[in-house]
Amino acid sequence: MPIPEDVTGEEIDKDVRQELQSLPKGLAEDVAKNLVMVANLIDEDPEQAYAYSKVALRLASRVAAVREAAGFAAYATQKYSEALAEFRAARRMTGSVELWPVMADCERGLGRPERAMAMAGEPEVQKLDKAGQVEMRLVAAGARRDMGQLDAAIVTLQSPELASNSVQPWTARLRYAYADALLAAGREDEAREWFAKALEADKDGATDASDRLAELDGVEFVDAIDEAHEGDEGDGADAADEAADSADEADKGE
């Protein structure tokens, strides 16, 4: 896989760089560069990110950070079985529980929400930091919805973190999930309130709360480019009709 000249491998997190020190220097640099490409592409081009992750995996499958990156790349391309296997491998290597929520979400992706719910009740959840616990709550609520338990999903999301006025990295997504669940339950007024709260906390545009609010308010977005294109086509059609009429008149004159 091609690596741009401006990618040096130094861009990776220092903890990952430290993990790679167990490898020969040249190999460590190659792996680092591929991991940088995974990180750079995973949002905009997940398939390409996945391809780079496979290169890194082939070069250094015994490095936990590489297995984790491969897991996230597979997850981004909805290869949930593969992602789960990589996350499990990374967890065995590190003993860390931080991947627990995304592992549970892989179970959802594989159509096994009941397993995700079982994981939400395991002791590992208590070992997660606050962000991890909120993520686990989001996964558990999603699993409830997968099983058709909408009211239970709403209750699952009701938490001190949801009620807090403090804006944390997870706040927008938590409020958004709650608003979406309320809307699915037909509680439109409450949903609108929580979409607005999600938008208020969403400084990075991580959700489409503004679009959901607009939909609830009956606002329709029209693509100006498409509209202009249709107008051009209409003008062309009118011109063609006029030309045809002129030709008909000329024929009659003859």
Side-chain angles (χ1 to χ4, degrees):
M1 297 289 293
I3 304 288
E5 292 183 2
D6 60 344
V7 172
T8 66
E10 294 296 318
E11 301 89 341
I12 61 173
D13 184 85
K14 64 179 182 179
D15 292 335
V16 176
R17 195 180 305 122
Q18 187 172 355
E19 272 194 72
L20 295 179
Q21 287 179 357
S22 62
L23 303 173
K25 184 177 179 181
L27 180 58
E29 289 176 357
D30 287 343
V31 173
K33 289 178 181 179
N34 279 282
L35 291 181
V36 171
M37 295 304 295
V38 173
N40 289 349
L41 293 168
I42 197 163
D43 291 329
E44 62 184 55
D45 192 345
E47 289 292 346
Q48 276 289 88
Y50 175 76
Y52 280 102
S53 77
K54 298 299 282 187
V55 175
L57 193 59
R58 189 165 62 246
L59 295 173
S61 62
R62 296 186 180 182
V63 176
V66 171
R67 304 302 290 265
E68 184 175 328
F72 277 109
Y75 179 81
T77 53
Q78 300 184 4
K79 297 176 177 67
Y80 297 117
S81 181
E82 187 175 334
L84 185 57
E86 296 300 342
F87 289 142
R88 283 173 174 167
R91 183 167 179 266
R92 283 195 301 271
M93 292 175 178
T94 64
S96 172
V97 298
E98 66 177 13
L99 294 171
W100 197 253
V102 71
M103 289 169 62
D105 206 39
C106 285
E107 295 287 6
R108 285 186 61 212
L110 290 167
R112 302 189 295 236
E114 68 285 348
R115 292 195 186 183
M117 283 306 306
M119 291 179 70
E122 293 291 335
E124 282 82 355
V125 176
Q126 302 307 315
K127 300 175 185 177
L128 293 168
D129 61 14
K130 181 60 69 176
Q133 290 181 4
V134 170
E135 195 65 35
M136 193 70 238
R137 187 177 292 275
L138 287 166
V139 173
R144 290 289 191 190
R145 291 188 65 170
D146 293 343
M147 294 187 288
Q149 301 172 4
L150 190 52
D151 289 339
I154 291 171
V155 172
T156 298
L157 292 167
Q158 293 170 345
S159 61
E161 293 81 17
L162 180 69
S164 174
N165 290 323
S166 173
V167 175
Q168 302 295 335
W170 59 76
T171 302
R173 290 177 59 239
L174 183 60
R175 291 176 179 178
Y176 182 93
Y178 189 57
D180 192 50
L182 289 169
L183 187 60
R187 295 160 62 176
E188 189 171 307
D189 290 342
E190 293 173 85
R192 194 196 183 289
E193 176 188 349
W194 281 97
F195 276 129
K197 289 183 178 181
L199 180 60
E200 184 181 278
D202 193 0
K203 306 303 181 186
D204 300 323
T207 73
D208 64 347
S210 60
D211 292 344
R212 301 297 297 276
L213 273 172
E215 287 175 11
L216 287 172
D217 290 339
V219 176
E220 288 188 21
F221 294 100
V222 177
D223 192 322
I225 295 176
D226 289 345
E227 195 174 60
H229 181 62
E230 289 174 5
D232 291 342
E233 289 180 347
D235 292 342
D238 291 341
D241 290 342
E242 289 176 9
D245 291 341
S246 297
D248 288 343
E249 290 176 7
D251 291 339
K252 290 175 182 177
E254 292 175 359

